[in-house]
Amino acid sequence: MLSLFEEYKNSGKIEEALLVGRNLFNRNPGDEKIFSAYFSYLCTLAETLPSFADRSSFAEQANVALAFYSENAALTSESIKTFFAQRQRINAIFDEIEKKNLESNEKKRREIESFNTDRLKELYALKDALQKVDTQKEFDDILAQIGNLDSKIDKDALTDEQSSVYGSLTKDHTEFISMKMRQLEYKKNIAYNRQAVDEFALAFKQFNKNEKQYKDKTQLFHLASTKLFAFDASRLFNETLIYFNHVYSYIFSKLDDDGKLALTRYSVECERNRGGCNLC
């Protein structure tokens, strides 16, 4: 059986070697030759495998085997010396594994810290970019980038300094986003009001060109629904509303009683719809 263990061990068949070695040792817990071969193999695995988890597992198994052997072997002065040498070896393995683990964890910590620093720098750059955006698309793109970078930061691993920077950036981003949203909304409203003024002016021009045709309710409805009442009054500036009232009052004053009633009805129907009349 010991030869079978050596055969598997020498051919790199770890699972098979461990199975045979464990079986041999459990059946012969006081056999020095079997124990030494099995213990040495466990220590070799604990010293050489790449995985810290595997190395720790085999070191623990070697430690248990050593304790079990010391309880079952016929001790002599020579075997006691060997026992302490073996215990020193296993302790050295545990110390080395702990050292390597600490080094690995420290390396990972530094890598995460460096990664977080780079992401914070990118977020800082986006803070400047956020102030310069001029269109809704640019704004949405910047917001997407901020969200993507923020999701990548390992917030639990932030240093005190990084946490302070992150908090400051989050506050600044929130303020700039709110400010930029107001600016873009105002810009959209300016464009909206320009369009409204142009349509009101066109309505005035078309009505003046041929007042008589607007005695026809179909023509009057088309003029009202596509020009006068196609805009949401809540988005119009005071100056735009003043001009609208001027155009509306002028057209209203030129209509007969039936025309005035129809125009009033169109006004009520269209003003209920934000962004334009749904009858258009």
Side-chain angles (χ1 to χ4, degrees):
M1 283 287 285
L2 191 56
S3 61
L4 182 61
F5 167 76
E6 293 292 342
E7 179 185 337
Y8 283 136
K9 184 187 74 170
N10 294 333
S11 61
K13 296 182 178 180
I14 296 177
E15 291 186 10
E16 292 84 348
L18 288 172
L19 177 63
V20 175
R22 189 180 303 112
N23 178 270
L24 274 172
F25 176 62
N26 286 337
R27 290 168 59 192
N28 306 275
D31 189 302
E32 182 181 358
K33 188 174 183 180
I34 290 174
F35 166 72
S36 294
Y38 180 56
F39 175 81
S40 180
Y41 186 52
L42 288 172
C43 287
T44 298
L45 293 175
E47 290 167 336
T48 59
L49 289 177
S51 167
F52 286 123
D54 289 341
R55 291 175 65 179
S56 295
S57 174
F58 289 123
E60 289 291 349
Q61 291 179 50
N63 197 40
V64 170
L66 179 60
F68 191 47
Y69 171 72
S70 68
E71 294 171 356
N72 289 276
L75 296 177
T76 65
S77 59
E78 188 62 32
S79 66
I80 290 175
K81 289 181 182 179
T82 302
F83 169 80
F84 282 110
Q86 290 166 330
R87 191 171 72 175
Q88 186 176 3
R89 181 182 181 185
I90 199 66
N91 287 339
I93 290 173
F94 278 124
D95 289 343
E96 181 66 15
I97 290 174
E98 182 179 6
K99 176 185 175 184
K100 294 296 183 183
N101 254 322
L102 290 174
E103 289 175 354
S104 177
N105 290 337
E106 177 60 20
K107 180 181 178 183
K108 289 179 181 177
R109 186 197 65 77
R110 289 196 301 267
E111 288 174 349
I112 293 173
E113 182 178 341
S114 177
F115 178 85
N116 280 342
T117 296
D118 290 341
R119 301 296 80 73
L120 288 171
K121 287 178 180 177
E122 291 178 286
L123 281 175
Y124 189 86
L126 287 178
K127 183 180 75 169
D128 293 335
L130 188 60
Q131 299 178 73
K132 298 175 183 177
V133 297
D134 194 46
T135 67
Q136 187 66 45
K137 184 180 183 306
E138 291 174 336
F139 181 66
D140 292 340
D141 287 345
I142 294 295
L143 288 187
Q145 292 179 57
I146 290 174
N148 184 47
L149 286 172
D150 187 82
S151 67
K152 291 180 179 179
I153 292 176
D154 188 341
K155 298 174 182 63
D156 292 333
L158 290 172
T159 65
D160 290 342
E161 182 180 358
Q162 288 176 332
S163 293
S164 177
V165 171
Y166 177 76
S168 177
L169 279 172
T170 300
K171 180 176 179 293
D172 289 345
H173 281 159
T174 300
E175 292 176 354
F176 291 150
I177 288 170
S178 297
M179 176 189 70
K180 188 56 63 173
M181 287 177 66
R182 290 192 298 269
Q183 290 177 352
L184 290 174
E185 185 63 25
Y186 182 71
K187 186 176 180 180
K188 286 192 292 185
N189 281 338
I190 289 177
Y192 190 79
N193 275 261
R194 284 175 176 168
Q195 182 184 5
V197 169
D198 289 343
E199 293 299 325
F200 299 156
L202 186 57
F204 186 82
K205 180 179 180 181
Q206 289 178 352
F207 186 85
N208 263 337
K209 186 176 181 180
N210 191 352
E211 293 181 16
K212 293 182 180 180
Q213 76 173 1
Y214 292 105
K215 291 182 179 180
D216 182 333
K217 299 298 187 298
T218 300
Q219 294 295 326
L220 181 62
F221 171 74
H222 181 74
L223 181 73
S225 61
T226 61
K227 301 286 187 295
L228 284 179
F229 308 129
F231 297 89
D232 180 5
S234 67
R235 292 185 60 186
L236 299 180
F237 300 149
N238 287 336
E239 295 79 3
T240 308
L241 288 172
I242 291 171
Y243 183 64
F244 164 80
N245 288 330
H246 166 69
V247 174
Y248 174 79
S249 297
Y250 178 82
I251 294 175
F252 188 83
S253 69
K254 296 293 183 177
L255 297 173
D256 58 23
D257 289 345
D258 286 343
K260 286 181 171 64
L261 177 60
L263 188 63
T264 302
R265 285 176 174 168
Y266 301 154
S267 169
V268 171
E269 291 170 353
C270 289
E271 283 182 341
R272 290 177 180 172
N273 300 278
R274 296 180 63 84
C277 179
N278 67 349
L279 300 176
C280 304

